[in-house]
């Protein structure tokens, strides 16, 4: 085995683990009108199943499969992971909805084979929106169906999307999976210790 082949494999592995960091880091320089267009998996990635499981919702388009949530992510309940970044950069979104004036792009990581609901907490329905997978419009409640990849490999699925807000804020979200509700807050445009409740 030559050193070029080994270096190529190491580079691919580094790119895989660094993908979600890149999605977050690029949010500050991605044009607002382009924020939901990067949902096609790269050719060298294992693409997940695009078919719905029997009787379930359609699969949400994902961009990668992972063996575990990457470094820089924290678990919310058993089936979801979100960034640990104290502040997710928010830029003008170009959306007409006043509750979606700013957009923070970040990757959502969901356990393969699960369906999760994410919603903004009560009192935030007019202040924040959510969306992943490039489908539909930003909404106060979204369902992500992380269909298991056809290859059977990868225990977690990564989705491109993010959070829209009327103004920079610490946004409380509620995640529901397997009948259990879990709460998490995300600093959109400012850290959570610098904002007040609605």
């Amino acid at each position: 085995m030559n050193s070029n082949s080994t270096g190529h494999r190491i580079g691919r592995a580094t790119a895989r683990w660094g993908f979600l960091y890149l999605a977050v880091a690029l949010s500050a320089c991605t044009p607002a009108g382009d924020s939901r267009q990067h949902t096609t998996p790269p050719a060298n990635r294992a693409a997940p199943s695009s078919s719905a499981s029997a009787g379930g919702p359609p699969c949400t388009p994902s961009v990668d499969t992972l063996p575990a949530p990457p470094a820089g992510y924290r678990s919310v309940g058993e089936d979801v992971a979100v960034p640990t970044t104290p502040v997710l950069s928010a830029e003008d979104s170009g959306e007409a909805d006043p509750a979606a004036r700013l957009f923070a792009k970040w990757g959502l990581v969901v356990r393969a084979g699960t369906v999760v609901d994410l919603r903004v907490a009560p009192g935030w329905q007019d202040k924040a929106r959510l969306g992943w997978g490039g489908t539909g419009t930003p909404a106060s409640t979204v369902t992500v169906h992380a269909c298991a990849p056809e290859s059977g490999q990868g225990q977690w699925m990564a989705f491109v999307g993010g959070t829209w807000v009327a103004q920079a804020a610490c946004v409380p979200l509620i995640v529901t999976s397997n009948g259990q509700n879990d709460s998490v807050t995300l600093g959109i445009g400012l850290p959570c210790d610098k904002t007040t409740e609605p």
Side-chain angles (χ1 to χ4, degrees), residues 39-143:
T39 59
T40 303
N44 64 345
R45 297 282 203 276
S49 169
S50 59
S51 62
S53 60
C59 301
T60 304
S62 65
V63 293
D64 204 358
T65 59
L66 305 166
Y73 271 66
R74 58 184 160 150
S75 294
V76 181
E78 296 182 0
D79 300 321
V80 173
V82 301
T84 57
T85 307
V87 180
L88 295 166
S89 178
E91 304 292 334
D92 283 335
S93 69
E95 296 282 346
D97 182 354
R101 188 176 64 84
L102 301 175
F103 176 66
K105 183 177 182 180
W106 57 276
L108 179 71
V109 178
V110 179
R111 188 183 300 276
T114 62
V115 177
V116 298
D117 293 316
L118 298 99
R119 65 186 185 277
V120 296
W124 284 84
Q125 292 87 346
D126 295 330
K127 299 174 181 68
R129 300 283 183 262
L130 309 168
W132 289 276
T135 58
T137 57
S140 58
T141 300
V142 298
T143 298

Side-chain angles (χ1 to χ4, degrees), residues 15-58:
R16 177 179 285 279
W17 285 106
F19 174 79
L20 292 175
Y21 298 104
L22 183 61
V24 173
L26 289 179
S27 64
C29 57
T30 301
D34 196 33
S35 63
R36 288 173 281 152
Q37 297 176 1
H38 304 291
T39 59
T40 303
N44 64 345
R45 297 282 203 276
S49 169
S50 59
S51 62
S53 60

